[in-house]
Amino acid sequence: MGSSSVITPEDVLESLMNDGTIDSLRLKIINQLKANEELKNTTIKMAEQSKVLNTPGAEKQTKRELFDALRQELEAPVLEKASKSVWELILDSNGLGKEISDTVGRVYSRLSGREPPLFPPPTSETQPVKEAENEKGKERLKGKGKGKEKENENEKEGSNSKSKKRSFSDMREEGGVDEAAKKSDDLPHAKEN
């Protein structure tokens, strides 16, 4: 599918079905419905107040007969309540509904050839948190006394290779420029032909 073709809702749905996303979302919805205490309590109350169970002679019926009669009486109202709960989950702008919207948006962007950014732009809520984290990081790097220097060295050793690199001015301050030069002289050099 090229970027010049029109992406239809059916294309997005097909992609979501093919990659297992629909099944994953369905499972999340089912699990949230199972955990919905209000829905459970409403269903129990409806069963306790049912005409089928409160009719004289109900205790003489078989379990299968009672189940069939209860199903006939309560299936529609219980499914209506469950349907309303599912729509609340789907339309929730913070929970599962947001996840569904974001997923559909990503798939649409991928199919249309416009990949979404890997990291969404910071929102006004996350910006102060990031600024506070940056300040903490700066304070930690400044370090006061020998204890902090050791801590900074340990952090450098434990991190990836890019963060192990030091600037020339840092090395000069630490006296590492001369050390690096001495170590370089000690290394065996390849013979030039």
Side-chain angles (χ1 to χ4, degrees):
M1 212 175 281
S3 61
S4 62
S5 64
V6 175
I7 308 301
T8 65
E10 290 78 15
D11 296 331
V12 174
L13 183 60
E14 182 180 349
S15 178
L16 291 170
M17 290 170 63
N18 289 340
D19 70 7
T21 303
I22 293 288
D23 294 328
S24 173
L25 291 171
R26 182 183 300 128
L27 186 61
K28 287 179 182 181
I29 289 170
I30 289 169
N31 288 335
Q32 288 191 25
L33 277 179
K34 285 180 179 180
N36 185 335
E37 289 298 321
E38 183 182 339
L39 185 60
K40 283 183 193 178
N41 293 335
T42 302
T43 305
I44 290 169
K45 191 179 290 181
M46 290 170 77
E48 288 172 345
Q49 296 172 353
S50 74
K51 294 176 186 174
V52 171
L53 292 179
N54 292 315
T55 302
E59 63 277 351
K60 294 178 185 174
Q61 292 180 321
T62 65
K63 288 181 181 178
R64 182 68 187 173
E65 291 171 333
L66 284 173
F67 180 78
D68 288 343
L70 270 174
R71 184 175 193 171
Q72 189 173 13
E73 179 186 351
L74 299 178
E75 184 174 35
V78 168
L79 286 178
E80 184 180 332
K81 297 268 186 206
S83 178
K84 285 180 181 177
S85 295
V86 169
W87 278 109
E88 286 173 5
L89 290 172
I90 291 172
L91 297 175
D92 178 19
S93 61
N94 295 321
L96 191 58
K98 181 175 178 4
E99 181 180 342
I100 292 169
S101 293
D102 292 348
T103 302
V104 169
R106 277 194 309 274
V107 169
Y108 178 81
S109 295
R110 180 175 47 83
L111 292 175
S112 64
R114 294 178 293 158
E115 291 291 327
L118 291 176
F119 302 103
T123 62
S124 59
E125 294 175 9
T126 59
Q127 194 66 29
V129 173
K130 287 184 180 183
E131 288 174 6
E133 288 174 0
N134 287 341
E135 290 300 319
K136 287 180 186 176
K138 288 177 185 175
E139 288 176 18
R140 195 176 336 129
L141 291 177
K142 284 181 185 174
K144 295 178 182 174
K146 294 288 181 186
K148 287 286 184 182
E149 288 175 13
K150 275 286 190 203
E151 191 176 299
N152 288 341
E153 286 177 24
N154 291 340
E155 284 178 12
K156 286 181 184 177
E157 289 172 12
S159 61
N160 65 26
S161 62
K162 286 186 179 180
S163 63
K164 288 182 182 179
K165 294 179 182 177
R166 296 178 288 179
S167 70
F168 185 75
S169 60
D170 289 344
M171 289 178 65
R172 175 170 273 159
E173 288 174 12
E174 295 172 5
V177 174
D178 296 329
E179 279 181 41
K182 287 178 191 173
K183 286 183 181 177
S184 174
D185 291 338
D186 294 342
L187 294 175
H189 295 287
K191 292 182 181 179
E192 293 180 15
N193 292 345

